[in-house]
Amino acid sequence: MQPEPTAELRHRTVEAPAGRLHLVEQGTGPLVLLVHGFPESWYSWRRQLPALAAAGHRAVAIDVRGYGRSSKPEATDAYRMLDLVEDNVAVVRALGEESAVVVGHDWGSNIAAASALLHPEVFRAVGLLSVPYTPPGGPRPTDIFGQLGGPEQEFYVSYFQEPGRAEAEIEPDIRGWLAGFYAALSADTMPARGEPDPHFVTRGGGRLRDRFPAGSLPAWLSEDDLDVYAGEFERTGITGALNRYRTMDRDWEDLAPHRGAPIKQPSLFIGGAQDASTTWMSDAIDAYPTTLPALSASHLLDGCGHWIQQERPEEVNHLLTDWLATLQGPTRHGC
């Protein structure tokens, strides 16, 4: 059972380097900033906002730049990681706070990690969902992903690189595409272990959606939920979201001075045991004693896919609130 809300959800926009950032907040107390991934919005945290508020926190879920009601800069390089980190800092300041715990899912996990790495004076702890932390460095990202599809297939990250290409597939039927993408990464609708993961590659110049699983929506996603997500992208388009993938090599250059750097603040990781992100990146999880030396705990939820805080909200809420209770909350400033 979900806790009763302590206050109504409050929508507002704040000034940020992006121009305008939309956020939704609930509760009072130490600030917890929630950062969504692809292809989602603040709504991905709808189950966490009341739970964190009931536990005595000021929970704030943002629309990342390019998503929802936040500004959508035109330039591709406006979606660099450095810019997204500065957006997070601006939100904390605009809310009248000096520091926050930052929690991210999917791309939001990478954004949260980079925020903690680059601004430890602002982000006093970091929670990572689904995508493990890997320090900056290593081979150039597009070189890595370009090798994953094989000679006759193309990995989805590579497929997203060319401006306009993925848009031509997605935007004529955003609702149907989102339903297939969400299903492909959900524990109850993804292919059985040992079978190909159809959403990760295109075949013979085809489309990603040609290999999405057919059938019903995953259990966590209602028709009404899908309407919310689709409505946001039908209004804003998908380009801003895809531009995050198109700046990965630039991030690699920007973050080169932090090559191999650990995150030293208190941290938490929660992943799904059936999520490809945790199986592909199992070495990153194994390296946590070095890369996350102040890690409180690392959890893999059995029978859970990628959309972890939506597939298993009660477990995730319990793990988050228990972890947050171990952190020393700052004196609150502002309103």
Side-chain angles (χ1 to χ4, degrees):
M1 178 180 296
Q2 296 296 320
E4 290 296 322
T6 58
E8 295 298 320
L9 294 176
R10 303 182 296 277
H11 291 256
R12 62 187 290 191
T13 58
V14 298
E15 292 185 4
R20 177 191 68 255
L21 280 182
H22 169 250
L23 58 86
V24 179
E25 62 178 311
Q26 189 169 9
T28 59
L31 177 61
V32 181
L33 184 65
L34 304 170
V35 187
H36 68 80
F38 175 89
E40 303 178 81
S41 75
W42 76 267
Y43 191 73
S44 304
W45 302 103
R46 63 194 178 280
R47 307 293 189 187
Q48 284 65 55
L49 288 165
L52 296 179
H57 301 279
R58 185 183 189 185
V60 173
I62 65 169
D63 280 336
V64 174
R65 68 166 66 189
Y67 287 83
R69 302 179 214 177
S70 292
S71 292
K72 187 178 72 172
E74 291 187 9
T76 300
D77 67 1
Y79 296 85
R80 296 157 56 193
M81 184 63 75
L82 293 182
D83 292 323
L84 300 177
V85 167
E86 292 309 313
D87 284 345
N88 283 352
V89 173
V91 169
V92 174
R93 301 302 187 216
L95 294 174
E97 305 284 357
E98 295 182 356
S99 67
V101 176
V102 61
V103 179
H105 170 256
D106 184 77
W107 263 121
S109 178
N110 295 103
I111 298 168
S115 298
L117 179 65
L118 298 178
H119 287 282
E121 78 285 0
V122 176
F123 300 103
R124 59 190 182 90
V126 58
L128 309 174
L129 273 58
S130 296
V131 175
Y133 174 62
T134 55
R140 185 179 294 272
T142 54
D143 291 341
I144 298 173
F145 294 117
Q147 299 173 3
L148 292 178
E152 298 180 358
Q153 301 184 126
E154 185 176 18
F155 194 63
Y156 80 104
V157 174
S158 299
Y159 180 74
F160 286 166
Q161 294 302 307
E162 181 183 345
R165 185 182 178 196
E167 287 92 331
E169 171 186 339
I170 298 168
E171 291 188 349
D173 178 21
I174 286 178
R175 192 179 192 279
W177 193 90
L178 290 174
F181 194 82
Y182 295 147
L185 283 162
S186 300
D188 59 336
T189 49
M190 68 172 57
R193 281 194 176 277
E195 296 181 12
D197 291 328
H199 67 289
F200 287 125
V201 294
T202 62
R203 177 180 291 165
R207 307 173 302 172
L208 282 177
R209 71 182 306 152
D210 294 336
R211 305 186 72 183
F212 287 161
S216 60
L217 296 179
W220 63 267
L221 183 69
S222 71
E223 296 286 351
D224 289 343
D225 293 332
L226 182 57
D227 285 342
V228 172
Y229 284 121
E232 296 291 83
F233 287 109
E234 286 167 355
R235 183 176 65 251
T236 65
I238 198 75
T239 296
L242 291 169
N243 280 344
R244 175 83 288 274
Y245 292 90
R246 296 166 183 163
T247 58
M248 296 172 70
D249 283 353
R250 183 60 185 271
D251 296 337
W252 181 74
E253 297 170 357
D254 288 340
L255 296 173
H258 304 277
R259 182 183 182 92
I263 293 174
K264 298 179 181 179
Q265 299 95 306
S267 57
L268 174 74
F269 177 73
I270 312 172
Q274 289 183 240
D275 183 4
S277 297
T278 60
T279 55
W280 288 348
M281 303 179 71
S282 60
D283 288 349
I285 297 174
D286 292 341
Y288 279 168
T290 299
T291 61
L292 295 176
L295 181 72
S296 298
S298 177
H299 304 274
L300 286 180
L301 304 187
D302 290 336
C304 186
H306 183 68
W307 316 105
I308 187 166
Q309 77 270 37
Q310 299 177 85
E311 291 186 53
R312 303 281 275 277
E314 293 186 4
E315 289 176 72
V316 169
N317 291 348
H318 176 74
L319 293 172
L320 283 176
T321 54
D322 280 0
W323 173 63
L324 290 167
T326 69
L327 305 176
Q328 180 65 40
T331 301
R332 188 168 175 271
H333 299 274
C335 58

